[in-house]
Amino acid sequence: MQKYDYLIVGAGLFGSVFAHEATKAGKKCLVIDKRAHAGGNVYCENVDGINVHKYGAHIFHTNDKTIWDYVNQFAEFNNYVNSPVSISKGKLYNLPFNMNTFYQLWGTKTPEEAKSIIENQINEYGYKNPKNLEEQALSLIGKDVYETLIKEYTEKQWGKKATELPAFIIKRLPVRYTFDNNYFNDKYQGIPIGGYNKIIEGLLKGIEVKTNIDFFKDKVALSALSEKIVFTGKIDEFYDYKYGNLEYRSLRFENTRLEKENHQGNAVVNYNDDHVPYTRIIEHKHFEFGKQKHTIITKEFPEQWTKEKEAYYPINNDDNQNKYQQYKALTSKESNTIFGGRLAEYKYYDMHQIIASALQKVKKELN
Ligand code: UDP
């Protein structure tokens, strides 16, 4: 006898939102995760009052009021605004690319001055139909910004030449002719007061969750527990890599506790230069305006992915997308398995997009 309506594989945002909504509709869910905790990559570890984003910094932002209201059911959000800075060849620049950045690069003080430099560079180096990240960046912002703040960061982040990467990655970054260092264009932004764990706890309240369970180690028995499966893990692994593995980028985090109040004055400092082996240093307390006497910093080192490592980023170039389409064709033949999330959809999703997608899929399912 099947004990559950849904076995949800993966207790990240997609799985947790799905479980929450299905449970609310009277369905019985079991959520499993191979890690020792729920929360997926938004999980935080509290170290003497500082929420350490264990799997990389997460800043919530959305333009969608429904999604904003949805997360606000579980936690109140603070007014943190992400304004990273980047260090390149010994100089510090504001991000995203805005009037402050242009002043720091060229000394330009007005939008006309900055625009004229950028437009000249776009005319000289840009492309009508940019086919890769380098061509896209040159066409969007010109050569100086590309060479000072994008090229080396990007190539170390992805372990590939910017000419081998998809253009869409760089479209994430705004270009502005105002003195506005807000990294996001979205209407709503912040960090949940009390940390992301509060949101996950709220979503999974009253739902059976089992951690330290690897679905692939006991697939047959686990699958027999429920009528349907919601799978949020790696799509290629689900099909035993039958078309070969998709490529991912992994990360290694090096955490250090420092007995001082403030190390870098900002939550996020990027390091563009290729001789610096990490892409950024996160100082977690600044996400929550922490006043502790100590601080925790994390250096983020991009790494080549292998099957034993965490798959953080899908590498959505043409080769991988073609392979993903083969796997996707198999998923459409499944009647009892629902696929969702960054790994199962092989998509560079942000948190708000995952939530929207989970809500949409669960709604469709329950109808
Ligand atoms: N990027 C860059 N320079 C920077 C920050 C980002 O060139 O200082 C590029 C890089 O290609 C990166 C992409 O923009 O992969 C998206 O960066 P973001 O910080 O938005 O993504 P995250 O890694 O936080 O998901």
Side-chain angles (χ1 to χ4, degrees):
M1 240 277 288
Q2 286 153 342
K3 242 181 110 188
Y4 302 95
D5 296 302
Y6 296 100
L7 169 74
I8 294 168
V9 182
L13 267 181
F14 188 97
S16 301
V17 168
F18 195 105
H20 185 80
E21 293 305 311
T23 305
K24 232 168 58 182
K27 303 290 181 190
K28 196 151 188 261
C29 298
L30 170 63
V31 183
I32 60 168
D33 201 290
K34 69 175 175 189
R35 287 183 181 157
H37 55 77
N41 287 351
V42 309
Y43 175 76
C44 292
E45 199 170 81
N46 194 291
V47 181
D48 294 334
I50 298 175
N51 281 312
V52 175
H53 297 214
K54 271 215 54 150
Y55 303 96
H58 283 76
I59 299 126
F60 198 89
H61 58 96
T62 181
N63 240 334
D64 184 337
K65 179 138 190 335
T66 327
I67 301 300
W68 184 242
D69 290 343
Y70 190 81
V71 290
N72 274 270
Q73 295 175 81
F74 307 106
E76 197 184 326
F77 278 67
N78 70 14
N79 60 342
Y80 175 81
V81 171
N82 196 33
S83 316
V85 293
S86 179
I87 294 175
S88 175
K89 295 169 189 72
K91 275 189 73 180
L92 191 138
Y93 299 89
N94 286 106
L95 292 177
F97 315 125
N98 72 74
M99 287 299 294
N100 291 306
T101 329
F102 307 144
Y103 175 71
Q104 292 148 353
L105 265 171
W106 307 303
T108 48
K109 297 184 193 69
T110 63
E112 282 79 12
E113 287 167 8
K115 248 187 198 153
S116 134
I117 295 184
I118 290 172
E119 278 169 7
N120 281 339
Q121 294 194 4
I122 291 176
N123 285 338
E124 192 162 348
Y125 302 102
Y127 293 78
K128 277 226 159 57
N129 297 303
K131 285 186 292 298
N132 57 53
L133 196 150
E134 176 167 301
E135 294 182 3
Q136 179 66 62
L138 289 169
S139 316
L140 202 70
I141 194 72
K143 189 167 179 276
D144 287 356
V145 173
Y146 176 63
E147 287 180 351
T148 311
L149 295 166
I150 299 176
K151 185 176 193 296
E152 290 172 41
Y153 184 101
T154 294
E155 295 188 341
K156 106 176 127 172
Q157 157 73 8
W158 295 95
K160 287 196 187 297
K161 294 260 166 251
T163 46
E164 293 162 9
L165 288 163
F168 81 87
I169 293 176
I170 207 68
K171 285 194 208 144
R172 290 167 62 88
L173 304 192
V175 176
R176 284 195 203 114
Y177 293 96
T178 53
F179 290 92
D180 178 0
N181 297 324
N182 183 348
Y183 201 59
F184 302 113
N185 283 325
D186 288 341
K187 196 140 91 185
Y188 309 102
Q189 180 175 179
I191 301 283
I193 298 171
Y196 284 95
N197 296 8
K198 217 176 144 187
I199 294 190
I200 297 293
E201 281 155 21
L203 285 166
L204 294 175
K205 198 172 166 202
I207 299 172
E208 205 178 328
V209 180
K210 289 187 179 165
T211 51
N212 293 309
I213 301 221
D214 185 343
F215 175 70
F216 294 107
K217 290 223 164 93
D218 206 5
K219 193 171 171 181
V220 177
L222 286 166
S223 304
L225 291 175
S226 67
E227 196 174 319
K228 286 195 169 183
I229 295 175
V230 176
F231 181 76
T232 74
K234 296 209 304 290
I235 185 70
D236 48 353
E237 188 175 13
F238 187 87
Y239 289 110
D240 212 13
Y241 304 103
K242 70 185 282 182
Y243 300 128
N245 74 271
L246 294 163
E247 278 183 293
Y248 302 91
R249 190 68 173 153
S250 198
L251 299 171
R252 179 171 65 82
F253 299 105
E254 196 179 282
N255 298 333
T256 311
R257 176 185 170 124
L258 302 170
E259 298 312 319
K260 59 177 168 183
E261 211 184 300
N262 188 359
H263 176 66
Q264 63 182 17
N266 208 24
V268 185
V269 178
N270 291 357
Y271 287 80
N272 181 70
D273 300 355
D274 55 12
H275 61 82
V276 180
Y278 43 87
T279 47
R280 48 192 169 192
I281 300 182
I282 305 299
E283 186 169 13
H284 302 269
K285 70 189 305 178
H286 296 307
F287 287 127
E288 302 183 54
F289 319 114
K291 298 276 178 285
Q292 298 85 353
K293 288 209 167 67
H294 67 295
T295 191
I296 314 272
I297 60 161
T298 302
K299 288 181 178 162
E300 199 171 309
F301 298 81
E303 277 198 336
Q304 170 136 25
W305 176 81
T306 56
K307 283 181 188 164
E308 311 73 56
K309 288 186 193 162
E310 297 285 349
Y312 285 99
Y313 295 92
I315 304 183
N316 298 103
N317 59 18
D318 290 346
D319 285 353
N320 288 313
Q321 279 311 109
N322 291 339
K323 205 176 279 180
Y324 168 67
Q325 288 306 327
Q326 290 183 280
Y327 285 116
K328 189 162 185 263
L330 298 180
T331 68
S332 56
K333 293 189 195 122
E334 307 275 355
S335 50
N336 291 325
T337 305
I338 295 155
F339 297 85
R342 199 184 256 218
L343 297 176
E345 292 180 64
Y346 198 63
K347 198 165 168 192
Y348 191 178
Y349 269 132
D350 288 335
M351 290 181 280
H352 62 291
Q353 296 166 325
I354 293 272
I355 294 172
S357 147
L359 287 173
Q360 199 189 351
K361 283 203 180 158
V362 73
K363 193 170 161 199
K364 189 169 160 223
E365 172 65 17
L366 296 170
N367 278 338

